[in-house]
Amino acid sequence: MRCVPEDLLDKNAETADRRAEELARLREELDTAKQDVLYARAETQNVRRRLEKDVADTRAYAATGFARDILSVSDNLSRALSAIPAELREDEKMKNLVAGIEATGREIEKVFASHGISRVAAVGLPLDPNQHQAMIELPSGDAEPGTVLQELQAGYMIKDRLLRPAMVAVAKKPD
């Protein structure tokens, strides 16, 4: 049997210990790197989802400014129609003009619908400050206080967002 000097054994033990420590340190670094990669992937996926949502919202609500502007055109067209007296509506000379204005109104409503613009329901419903703007209070014995009695100006939504609140008259207790 061959004898190995003790100092050589100590060196081999030290080398083995250093290698074990180095291996443990490298494994810890690898675990940390794996965890960092997982976090980076998750963050990238979250950023991608947020970006996709932002793009979808931008597409869905891009026409909001234009839609608000065109609402006044629709309002004026409705006012023009309601200002025509019944006897003029029956006049042969005016029938075509009235029919043209009504057709234009229907076309505007059709375009609104195709872009997700819908009218806010108001009359007969409780006042909803998220959709209605109370302009006046009217005494009423028939309706509950806070109920919308009259719509002064139509309100509109674009998809699930308020485009313009309905301006309404609200019931109050009689004096």
mmCIF file of all heavy atoms in Angstrom, residues 60-110:
data_model
loop_
_atom_site.group_PDB
_atom_site.id
_atom_site.type_symbol
_atom_site.label_atom_id
_atom_site.label_comp_id
_atom_site.label_asym_id
_atom_site.label_seq_id
_atom_site.Cartn_x
_atom_site.Cartn_y
_atom_site.Cartn_z
ATOM 1 N N ALA A 60 -61.322 51.811 -30.735
ATOM 2 C CA ALA A 60 -62.731 51.880 -30.359
ATOM 3 C C ALA A 60 -63.200 53.306 -30.115
ATOM 4 O O ALA A 60 -64.332 53.658 -30.443
ATOM 5 C CB ALA A 60 -62.983 51.037 -29.115
ATOM 6 N N TYR A 61 -62.330 54.138 -29.561
ATOM 7 C CA TYR A 61 -62.747 55.472 -29.163
ATOM 8 C C TYR A 61 -62.081 56.589 -29.967
ATOM 9 O O TYR A 61 -62.153 57.750 -29.587
ATOM 10 C CB TYR A 61 -62.488 55.674 -27.668
ATOM 11 C CG TYR A 61 -63.185 54.627 -26.837
ATOM 12 C CD1 TYR A 61 -62.474 53.627 -26.189
ATOM 13 C CD2 TYR A 61 -64.566 54.615 -26.733
ATOM 14 C CE1 TYR A 61 -63.121 52.656 -25.444
ATOM 15 C CE2 TYR A 61 -65.219 53.639 -26.000
ATOM 16 C CZ TYR A 61 -64.497 52.671 -25.361
ATOM 17 O OH TYR A 61 -65.145 51.713 -24.640
ATOM 18 N N ALA A 62 -61.486 56.260 -31.092
ATOM 19 C CA ALA A 62 -60.784 57.250 -31.907
ATOM 20 C C ALA A 62 -61.715 58.332 -32.434
ATOM 21 O O ALA A 62 -61.317 59.482 -32.588
ATOM 22 C CB ALA A 62 -60.067 56.566 -33.073
ATOM 23 N N ALA A 63 -62.944 57.984 -32.680
ATOM 24 C CA ALA A 63 -63.889 58.931 -33.284
ATOM 25 C C ALA A 63 -64.637 59.763 -32.245
ATOM 26 O O ALA A 63 -65.559 60.492 -32.598
ATOM 27 C CB ALA A 63 -64.890 58.162 -34.141
ATOM 28 N N THR A 64 -64.240 59.710 -30.995
ATOM 29 C CA THR A 64 -64.975 60.392 -29.934
ATOM 30 C C THR A 64 -65.103 61.892 -30.191
ATOM 31 O O THR A 64 -66.199 62.450 -30.086
ATOM 32 C CB THR A 64 -64.319 60.128 -28.567
ATOM 33 O OG1 THR A 64 -64.356 58.728 -28.317
ATOM 34 C CG2 THR A 64 -65.029 60.853 -27.456
ATOM 35 N N GLY A 65 -64.017 62.558 -30.508
ATOM 36 C CA GLY A 65 -64.064 64.006 -30.764
ATOM 37 C C GLY A 65 -64.967 64.344 -31.934
ATOM 38 O O GLY A 65 -65.804 65.256 -31.849
ATOM 39 N N PHE A 66 -64.825 63.599 -33.002
ATOM 40 C CA PHE A 66 -65.668 63.823 -34.176
ATOM 41 C C PHE A 66 -67.128 63.538 -33.842
ATOM 42 O O PHE A 66 -68.023 64.285 -34.244
ATOM 43 C CB PHE A 66 -65.208 62.942 -35.341
ATOM 44 C CG PHE A 66 -66.061 63.088 -36.564
ATOM 45 C CD1 PHE A 66 -65.991 64.226 -37.345
ATOM 46 C CD2 PHE A 66 -66.958 62.087 -36.916
ATOM 47 C CE1 PHE A 66 -66.793 64.370 -38.464
ATOM 48 C CE2 PHE A 66 -67.762 62.226 -38.033
ATOM 49 C CZ PHE A 66 -67.671 63.373 -38.810
ATOM 50 N N ALA A 67 -67.377 62.479 -33.097
ATOM 51 C CA ALA A 67 -68.746 62.114 -32.732
ATOM 52 C C ALA A 67 -69.397 63.220 -31.906
ATOM 53 O O ALA A 67 -70.564 63.560 -32.132
ATOM 54 C CB ALA A 67 -68.751 60.800 -31.963
ATOM 55 N N ARG A 68 -68.654 63.802 -30.959
ATOM 56 C CA ARG A 68 -69.206 64.904 -30.162
ATOM 57 C C ARG A 68 -69.595 66.070 -31.069
ATOM 58 O O ARG A 68 -70.626 66.708 -30.863
ATOM 59 C CB ARG A 68 -68.187 65.379 -29.131
ATOM 60 C CG ARG A 68 -68.159 64.549 -27.896
ATOM 61 C CD ARG A 68 -67.392 65.223 -26.758
ATOM 62 N NE ARG A 68 -67.279 64.304 -25.663
ATOM 63 C CZ ARG A 68 -66.171 63.653 -25.337
ATOM 64 N NH1 ARG A 68 -65.065 63.856 -26.011
ATOM 65 N NH2 ARG A 68 -66.162 62.826 -24.326
ATOM 66 N N ASP A 69 -68.739 66.358 -32.036
ATOM 67 C CA ASP A 69 -69.028 67.467 -32.958
ATOM 68 C C ASP A 69 -70.251 67.188 -33.817
ATOM 69 O O ASP A 69 -71.064 68.083 -34.048
ATOM 70 C CB ASP A 69 -67.813 67.748 -33.849
ATOM 71 C CG ASP A 69 -66.627 68.293 -33.071
ATOM 72 O OD1 ASP A 69 -66.833 68.770 -31.932
ATOM 73 O OD2 ASP A 69 -65.502 68.229 -33.591
ATOM 74 N N ILE A 70 -70.401 65.972 -34.278
ATOM 75 C CA ILE A 70 -71.512 65.650 -35.182
ATOM 76 C C ILE A 70 -72.838 65.568 -34.424
ATOM 77 O O ILE A 70 -73.908 65.688 -35.034
ATOM 78 C CB ILE A 70 -71.216 64.359 -35.987
ATOM 79 C CG1 ILE A 70 -71.986 64.344 -37.310
ATOM 80 C CG2 ILE A 70 -71.528 63.129 -35.212
ATOM 81 C CD1 ILE A 70 -71.468 65.271 -38.323
ATOM 82 N N LEU A 71 -72.791 65.394 -33.090
ATOM 83 C CA LEU A 71 -74.023 65.377 -32.309
ATOM 84 C C LEU A 71 -74.785 66.695 -32.438
ATOM 85 O O LEU A 71 -76.009 66.703 -32.495
ATOM 86 C CB LEU A 71 -73.733 65.106 -30.831
ATOM 87 C CG LEU A 71 -73.366 63.680 -30.469
ATOM 88 C CD1 LEU A 71 -73.054 63.581 -28.985
ATOM 89 C CD2 LEU A 71 -74.431 62.695 -30.864
ATOM 90 N N SER A 72 -74.073 67.804 -32.514
ATOM 91 C CA SER A 72 -74.762 69.099 -32.659
ATOM 92 C C SER A 72 -75.460 69.184 -34.015
ATOM 93 O O SER A 72 -76.529 69.781 -34.132
ATOM 94 C CB SER A 72 -73.792 70.264 -32.462
ATOM 95 O OG SER A 72 -72.814 70.273 -33.470
ATOM 96 N N VAL A 73 -74.879 68.564 -35.034
ATOM 97 C CA VAL A 73 -75.533 68.526 -36.348
ATOM 98 C C VAL A 73 -76.825 67.716 -36.243
ATOM 99 O O VAL A 73 -77.873 68.134 -36.744
ATOM 100 C CB VAL A 73 -74.587 67.919 -37.417
ATOM 101 C CG1 VAL A 73 -75.309 67.726 -38.737
ATOM 102 C CG2 VAL A 73 -73.349 68.781 -37.593
ATOM 103 N N SER A 74 -76.752 66.590 -35.572
ATOM 104 C CA SER A 74 -77.940 65.757 -35.380
ATOM 105 C C SER A 74 -79.008 66.510 -34.585
ATOM 106 O O SER A 74 -80.195 66.452 -34.913
ATOM 107 C CB SER A 74 -77.549 64.468 -34.659
ATOM 108 O OG SER A 74 -78.672 63.688 -34.387
ATOM 109 N N ASP A 75 -78.584 67.222 -33.537
ATOM 110 C CA ASP A 75 -79.528 68.013 -32.738
ATOM 111 C C ASP A 75 -80.218 69.068 -33.596
ATOM 112 O O ASP A 75 -81.438 69.257 -33.517
ATOM 113 C CB ASP A 75 -78.813 68.711 -31.575
ATOM 114 C CG ASP A 75 -78.307 67.746 -30.526
ATOM 115 O OD1 ASP A 75 -78.789 66.597 -30.477
ATOM 116 O OD2 ASP A 75 -77.409 68.146 -29.756
ATOM 117 N N ASN A 76 -79.451 69.779 -34.409
ATOM 118 C CA ASN A 76 -80.030 70.823 -35.260
ATOM 119 C C ASN A 76 -80.986 70.237 -36.290
ATOM 120 O O ASN A 76 -82.020 70.831 -36.593
ATOM 121 C CB ASN A 76 -78.928 71.636 -35.941
ATOM 122 C CG ASN A 76 -78.209 72.547 -34.978
ATOM 123 O OD1 ASN A 76 -78.772 72.965 -33.957
ATOM 124 N ND2 ASN A 76 -76.957 72.849 -35.265
ATOM 125 N N LEU A 77 -80.656 69.083 -36.804
ATOM 126 C CA LEU A 77 -81.545 68.424 -37.768
ATOM 127 C C LEU A 77 -82.870 68.043 -37.095
ATOM 128 O O LEU A 77 -83.941 68.260 -37.665
ATOM 129 C CB LEU A 77 -80.853 67.184 -38.334
ATOM 130 C CG LEU A 77 -81.486 66.535 -39.539
ATOM 131 C CD1 LEU A 77 -81.512 67.501 -40.716
ATOM 132 C CD2 LEU A 77 -80.714 65.291 -39.922
ATOM 133 N N SER A 78 -82.794 67.531 -35.874
ATOM 134 C CA SER A 78 -84.003 67.181 -35.127
ATOM 135 C C SER A 78 -84.834 68.429 -34.829
ATOM 136 O O SER A 78 -86.065 68.401 -34.935
ATOM 137 C CB SER A 78 -83.643 66.494 -33.810
ATOM 138 O OG SER A 78 -83.041 65.265 -34.065
ATOM 139 N N ARG A 79 -84.157 69.511 -34.451
ATOM 140 C CA ARG A 79 -84.882 70.766 -34.191
ATOM 141 C C ARG A 79 -85.575 71.269 -35.455
ATOM 142 O O ARG A 79 -86.703 71.758 -35.401
ATOM 143 C CB ARG A 79 -83.930 71.828 -33.655
ATOM 144 C CG ARG A 79 -83.542 71.621 -32.226
ATOM 145 C CD ARG A 79 -82.721 72.801 -31.691
ATOM 146 N NE ARG A 79 -81.908 72.340 -30.593
ATOM 147 C CZ ARG A 79 -80.601 72.113 -30.643
ATOM 148 N NH1 ARG A 79 -79.918 72.353 -31.732
ATOM 149 N NH2 ARG A 79 -79.960 71.656 -29.588
ATOM 150 N N ALA A 80 -84.896 71.155 -36.571
ATOM 151 C CA ALA A 80 -85.479 71.603 -37.838
ATOM 152 C C ALA A 80 -86.739 70.798 -38.147
ATOM 153 O O ALA A 80 -87.758 71.360 -38.567
ATOM 154 C CB ALA A 80 -84.464 71.463 -38.971
ATOM 155 N N LEU A 81 -86.672 69.484 -37.952
ATOM 156 C CA LEU A 81 -87.845 68.636 -38.204
ATOM 157 C C LEU A 81 -88.998 68.977 -37.265
ATOM 158 O O LEU A 81 -90.151 69.049 -37.697
ATOM 159 C CB LEU A 81 -87.480 67.160 -38.030
ATOM 160 C CG LEU A 81 -87.005 66.451 -39.276
ATOM 161 C CD1 LEU A 81 -86.508 65.058 -38.930
ATOM 162 C CD2 LEU A 81 -88.097 66.390 -40.313
ATOM 163 N N SER A 82 -88.695 69.183 -36.002
ATOM 164 C CA SER A 82 -89.774 69.466 -35.051
ATOM 165 C C SER A 82 -90.352 70.863 -35.243
ATOM 166 O O SER A 82 -91.475 71.134 -34.815
ATOM 167 C CB SER A 82 -89.287 69.280 -33.617
ATOM 168 O OG SER A 82 -88.264 70.206 -33.328
ATOM 169 N N ALA A 83 -89.633 71.758 -35.905
ATOM 170 C CA ALA A 83 -90.128 73.116 -36.136
ATOM 171 C C ALA A 83 -91.085 73.197 -37.330
ATOM 172 O O ALA A 83 -91.774 74.204 -37.505
ATOM 173 C CB ALA A 83 -88.948 74.066 -36.351
ATOM 174 N N ILE A 84 -91.152 72.162 -38.143
ATOM 175 C CA ILE A 84 -92.044 72.178 -39.309
ATOM 176 C C ILE A 84 -93.467 71.890 -38.848
ATOM 177 O O ILE A 84 -93.741 70.817 -38.311
ATOM 178 C CB ILE A 84 -91.591 71.143 -40.368
ATOM 179 C CG1 ILE A 84 -90.178 71.444 -40.845
ATOM 180 C CG2 ILE A 84 -92.570 71.129 -41.543
ATOM 181 C CD1 ILE A 84 -89.573 70.359 -41.716
ATOM 182 N N PRO A 85 -94.380 72.842 -39.050
ATOM 183 C CA PRO A 85 -95.770 72.626 -38.630
ATOM 184 C C PRO A 85 -96.424 71.495 -39.433
ATOM 185 O O PRO A 85 -96.035 71.201 -40.565
ATOM 186 C CB PRO A 85 -96.460 73.959 -38.927
ATOM 187 C CG PRO A 85 -95.390 74.925 -39.324
ATOM 188 C CD PRO A 85 -94.154 74.151 -39.617
ATOM 189 N N ALA A 86 -97.432 70.871 -38.822
ATOM 190 C CA ALA A 86 -98.129 69.732 -39.433
ATOM 191 C C ALA A 86 -98.727 70.093 -40.781
ATOM 192 O O ALA A 86 -98.669 69.289 -41.730
ATOM 193 C CB ALA A 86 -99.205 69.210 -38.494
ATOM 194 N N GLU A 87 -99.298 71.291 -40.918
ATOM 195 C CA GLU A 87 -99.919 71.670 -42.194
ATOM 196 C C GLU A 87 -98.888 71.792 -43.316
ATOM 197 O O GLU A 87 -99.181 71.478 -44.469
ATOM 198 C CB GLU A 87 -100.758 72.960 -42.061
ATOM 199 C CG GLU A 87 -100.009 74.203 -41.639
ATOM 200 C CD GLU A 87 -99.928 74.372 -40.117
ATOM 201 O OE1 GLU A 87 -100.446 73.528 -39.373
ATOM 202 O OE2 GLU A 87 -99.300 75.353 -39.689
ATOM 203 N N LEU A 88 -97.650 72.213 -42.975
ATOM 204 C CA LEU A 88 -96.608 72.279 -44.006
ATOM 205 C C LEU A 88 -96.112 70.885 -44.383
ATOM 206 O O LEU A 88 -95.682 70.663 -45.511
ATOM 207 C CB LEU A 88 -95.437 73.147 -43.549
ATOM 208 C CG LEU A 88 -95.640 74.658 -43.640
ATOM 209 C CD1 LEU A 88 -94.400 75.388 -43.139
ATOM 210 C CD2 LEU A 88 -95.960 75.091 -45.050
ATOM 211 N N ARG A 89 -96.163 69.969 -43.445
ATOM 212 C CA ARG A 89 -95.739 68.589 -43.733
ATOM 213 C C ARG A 89 -96.651 67.946 -44.771
ATOM 214 O O ARG A 89 -96.217 67.094 -45.526
ATOM 215 C CB ARG A 89 -95.749 67.741 -42.462
ATOM 216 C CG ARG A 89 -94.649 68.072 -41.501
ATOM 217 C CD ARG A 89 -94.790 67.238 -40.220
ATOM 218 N NE ARG A 89 -93.753 67.583 -39.271
ATOM 219 C CZ ARG A 89 -92.610 66.921 -39.141
ATOM 220 N NH1 ARG A 89 -92.369 65.866 -39.877
ATOM 221 N NH2 ARG A 89 -91.715 67.306 -38.270
ATOM 222 N N GLU A 90 -97.900 68.354 -44.799
ATOM 223 C CA GLU A 90 -98.870 67.807 -45.749
ATOM 224 C C GLU A 90 -98.866 68.550 -47.081
ATOM 225 O O GLU A 90 -99.400 68.049 -48.056
ATOM 226 C CB GLU A 90 -100.274 67.838 -45.135
ATOM 227 C CG GLU A 90 -100.402 67.023 -43.854
ATOM 228 C CD GLU A 90 -99.966 65.575 -44.053
ATOM 229 O OE1 GLU A 90 -100.297 64.959 -45.098
ATOM 230 O OE2 GLU A 90 -99.279 65.045 -43.147
ATOM 231 N N ASP A 91 -98.254 69.708 -47.114
ATOM 232 C CA ASP A 91 -98.187 70.507 -48.346
ATOM 233 C C ASP A 91 -97.341 69.742 -49.368
ATOM 234 O O ASP A 91 -96.237 69.282 -49.062
ATOM 235 C CB ASP A 91 -97.553 71.870 -48.038
ATOM 236 C CG ASP A 91 -97.557 72.806 -49.229
ATOM 237 O OD1 ASP A 91 -97.488 72.334 -50.377
ATOM 238 O OD2 ASP A 91 -97.623 74.035 -49.013
ATOM 239 N N GLU A 92 -97.866 69.606 -50.568
ATOM 240 C CA GLU A 92 -97.171 68.847 -51.633
ATOM 241 C C GLU A 92 -95.792 69.415 -51.934
ATOM 242 O O GLU A 92 -94.876 68.671 -52.262
ATOM 243 C CB GLU A 92 -98.024 68.827 -52.910
ATOM 244 C CG GLU A 92 -99.240 67.940 -52.830
ATOM 245 C CD GLU A 92 -98.878 66.483 -52.524
ATOM 246 O OE1 GLU A 92 -97.912 65.948 -53.112
ATOM 247 O OE2 GLU A 92 -99.553 65.876 -51.675
ATOM 248 N N LYS A 93 -95.650 70.723 -51.853
ATOM 249 C CA LYS A 93 -94.357 71.350 -52.145
ATOM 250 C C LYS A 93 -93.328 71.034 -51.059
ATOM 251 O O LYS A 93 -92.135 70.996 -51.338
ATOM 252 C CB LYS A 93 -94.519 72.873 -52.253
ATOM 253 C CG LYS A 93 -95.342 73.304 -53.442
ATOM 254 C CD LYS A 93 -95.500 74.811 -53.456
ATOM 255 C CE LYS A 93 -96.417 75.227 -54.598
ATOM 256 N NZ LYS A 93 -96.692 76.653 -54.587
ATOM 257 N N MET A 94 -93.783 70.818 -49.833
ATOM 258 C CA MET A 94 -92.867 70.603 -48.712
ATOM 259 C C MET A 94 -92.619 69.122 -48.403
ATOM 260 O O MET A 94 -91.660 68.800 -47.712
ATOM 261 C CB MET A 94 -93.432 71.279 -47.447
ATOM 262 C CG MET A 94 -93.506 72.793 -47.518
ATOM 263 S SD MET A 94 -91.884 73.548 -47.653
ATOM 264 C CE MET A 94 -91.244 73.261 -46.020
ATOM 265 N N LYS A 95 -93.477 68.229 -48.917
ATOM 266 C CA LYS A 95 -93.358 66.809 -48.577
ATOM 267 C C LYS A 95 -91.968 66.251 -48.904
ATOM 268 O O LYS A 95 -91.387 65.520 -48.108
ATOM 269 C CB LYS A 95 -94.436 65.987 -49.299
ATOM 270 C CG LYS A 95 -95.721 65.899 -48.548
ATOM 271 C CD LYS A 95 -96.652 64.918 -49.237
ATOM 272 C CE LYS A 95 -97.902 64.771 -48.400
ATOM 273 N NZ LYS A 95 -98.850 63.858 -49.002
ATOM 274 N N ASN A 96 -91.448 66.594 -50.053
ATOM 275 C CA ASN A 96 -90.137 66.077 -50.451
ATOM 276 C C ASN A 96 -89.024 66.625 -49.556
ATOM 277 O O ASN A 96 -88.091 65.895 -49.205
ATOM 278 C CB ASN A 96 -89.844 66.411 -51.911
ATOM 279 C CG ASN A 96 -90.671 65.579 -52.868
ATOM 280 O OD1 ASN A 96 -91.146 64.501 -52.504
ATOM 281 N ND2 ASN A 96 -90.874 66.081 -54.071
ATOM 282 N N LEU A 97 -89.137 67.911 -49.186
ATOM 283 C CA LEU A 97 -88.138 68.501 -48.294
ATOM 284 C C LEU A 97 -88.176 67.800 -46.937
ATOM 285 O O LEU A 97 -87.127 67.405 -46.395
ATOM 286 C CB LEU A 97 -88.392 70.002 -48.121
ATOM 287 C CG LEU A 97 -87.474 70.708 -47.126
ATOM 288 C CD1 LEU A 97 -86.040 70.667 -47.615
ATOM 289 C CD2 LEU A 97 -87.937 72.137 -46.900
ATOM 290 N N VAL A 98 -89.358 67.620 -46.383
ATOM 291 C CA VAL A 98 -89.505 66.950 -45.094
ATOM 292 C C VAL A 98 -88.999 65.507 -45.190
ATOM 293 O O VAL A 98 -88.279 65.032 -44.304
ATOM 294 C CB VAL A 98 -90.976 66.993 -44.609
ATOM 295 C CG1 VAL A 98 -91.177 66.134 -43.378
ATOM 296 C CG2 VAL A 98 -91.407 68.433 -44.334
ATOM 297 N N ALA A 99 -89.359 64.814 -46.251
ATOM 298 C CA ALA A 99 -88.904 63.426 -46.437
ATOM 299 C C ALA A 99 -87.373 63.371 -46.517
ATOM 300 O O ALA A 99 -86.746 62.459 -45.953
ATOM 301 C CB ALA A 99 -89.529 62.828 -47.692
ATOM 302 N N GLY A 100 -86.767 64.341 -47.169
ATOM 303 C CA GLY A 100 -85.300 64.386 -47.268
ATOM 304 C C GLY A 100 -84.636 64.621 -45.921
ATOM 305 O O GLY A 100 -83.631 63.977 -45.590
ATOM 306 N N ILE A 101 -85.206 65.537 -45.138
ATOM 307 C CA ILE A 101 -84.655 65.804 -43.800
ATOM 308 C C ILE A 101 -84.814 64.569 -42.906
ATOM 309 O O ILE A 101 -83.889 64.196 -42.179
ATOM 310 C CB ILE A 101 -85.328 67.042 -43.172
ATOM 311 C CG1 ILE A 101 -84.975 68.299 -43.977
ATOM 312 C CG2 ILE A 101 -84.892 67.225 -41.723
ATOM 313 C CD1 ILE A 101 -85.738 69.538 -43.563
ATOM 314 N N GLU A 102 -85.973 63.917 -42.980
ATOM 315 C CA GLU A 102 -86.188 62.700 -42.186
ATOM 316 C C GLU A 102 -85.233 61.588 -42.602
ATOM 317 O O GLU A 102 -84.685 60.869 -41.759
ATOM 318 C CB GLU A 102 -87.633 62.233 -42.319
ATOM 319 C CG GLU A 102 -88.623 63.127 -41.597
ATOM 320 C CD GLU A 102 -90.078 62.772 -41.890
ATOM 321 O OE1 GLU A 102 -90.358 62.094 -42.915
ATOM 322 O OE2 GLU A 102 -90.935 63.185 -41.093
ATOM 323 N N ALA A 103 -84.996 61.451 -43.914
ATOM 324 C CA ALA A 103 -84.066 60.423 -44.405
ATOM 325 C C ALA A 103 -82.648 60.716 -43.917
ATOM 326 O O ALA A 103 -81.911 59.792 -43.538
ATOM 327 C CB ALA A 103 -84.115 60.356 -45.925
ATOM 328 N N THR A 104 -82.273 61.985 -43.901
ATOM 329 C CA THR A 104 -80.949 62.364 -43.399
ATOM 330 C C THR A 104 -80.828 62.022 -41.916
ATOM 331 O O THR A 104 -79.793 61.507 -41.472
ATOM 332 C CB THR A 104 -80.699 63.868 -43.629
ATOM 333 O OG1 THR A 104 -80.840 64.154 -45.023
ATOM 334 C CG2 THR A 104 -79.313 64.276 -43.174
ATOM 335 N N GLY A 105 -81.884 62.277 -41.154
ATOM 336 C CA GLY A 105 -81.881 61.921 -39.734
ATOM 337 C C GLY A 105 -81.729 60.426 -39.513
ATOM 338 O O GLY A 105 -80.971 59.993 -38.640
ATOM 339 N N ARG A 106 -82.440 59.638 -40.308
ATOM 340 C CA ARG A 106 -82.313 58.170 -40.197
ATOM 341 C C ARG A 106 -80.906 57.710 -40.564
ATOM 342 O O ARG A 106 -80.347 56.803 -39.933
ATOM 343 C CB ARG A 106 -83.345 57.478 -41.095
ATOM 344 C CG ARG A 106 -84.767 57.534 -40.559
ATOM 345 C CD ARG A 106 -85.710 56.635 -41.339
ATOM 346 N NE ARG A 106 -85.756 56.954 -42.759
ATOM 347 C CZ ARG A 106 -86.577 57.848 -43.318
ATOM 348 N NH1 ARG A 106 -87.413 58.538 -42.568
ATOM 349 N NH2 ARG A 106 -86.549 58.067 -44.623
ATOM 350 N N GLU A 107 -80.314 58.331 -41.556
ATOM 351 C CA GLU A 107 -78.953 57.972 -41.970
ATOM 352 C C GLU A 107 -77.941 58.294 -40.871
ATOM 353 O O GLU A 107 -77.029 57.507 -40.602
ATOM 354 C CB GLU A 107 -78.578 58.703 -43.269
ATOM 355 C CG GLU A 107 -77.270 58.267 -43.870
ATOM 356 C CD GLU A 107 -77.261 56.824 -44.353
ATOM 357 O OE1 GLU A 107 -78.332 56.262 -44.658
ATOM 358 O OE2 GLU A 107 -76.158 56.244 -44.428
ATOM 359 N N ILE A 108 -78.123 59.435 -40.214
ATOM 360 C CA ILE A 108 -77.228 59.788 -39.100
ATOM 361 C C ILE A 108 -77.354 58.742 -37.992
ATOM 362 O O ILE A 108 -76.341 58.277 -37.449
ATOM 363 C CB ILE A 108 -77.520 61.206 -38.572
ATOM 364 C CG1 ILE A 108 -77.003 62.251 -39.565
ATOM 365 C CG2 ILE A 108 -76.887 61.433 -37.196
ATOM 366 C CD1 ILE A 108 -77.326 63.681 -39.194
ATOM 367 N N GLU A 109 -78.581 58.357 -37.655
ATOM 368 C CA GLU A 109 -78.792 57.338 -36.621
ATOM 369 C C GLU A 109 -78.151 56.005 -37.016
ATOM 370 O O GLU A 109 -77.571 55.306 -36.185
ATOM 371 C CB GLU A 109 -80.287 57.147 -36.340
ATOM 372 C CG GLU A 109 -80.949 58.341 -35.684
ATOM 373 C CD GLU A 109 -80.362 58.691 -34.329
ATOM 374 O OE1 GLU A 109 -80.025 57.769 -33.559
ATOM 375 O OE2 GLU A 109 -80.235 59.903 -34.041
ATOM 376 N N LYS A 110 -78.239 55.657 -38.294
ATOM 377 C CA LYS A 110 -77.640 54.412 -38.789
ATOM 378 C C LYS A 110 -76.113 54.463 -38.671
ATOM 379 O O LYS A 110 -75.476 53.498 -38.235
ATOM 380 C CB LYS A 110 -78.059 54.214 -40.253
ATOM 381 C CG LYS A 110 -77.537 52.950 -40.888
ATOM 382 C CD LYS A 110 -78.057 52.843 -42.323
ATOM 383 C CE LYS A 110 -77.187 51.943 -43.146
ATOM 384 N NZ LYS A 110 -77.529 51.996 -44.572
#
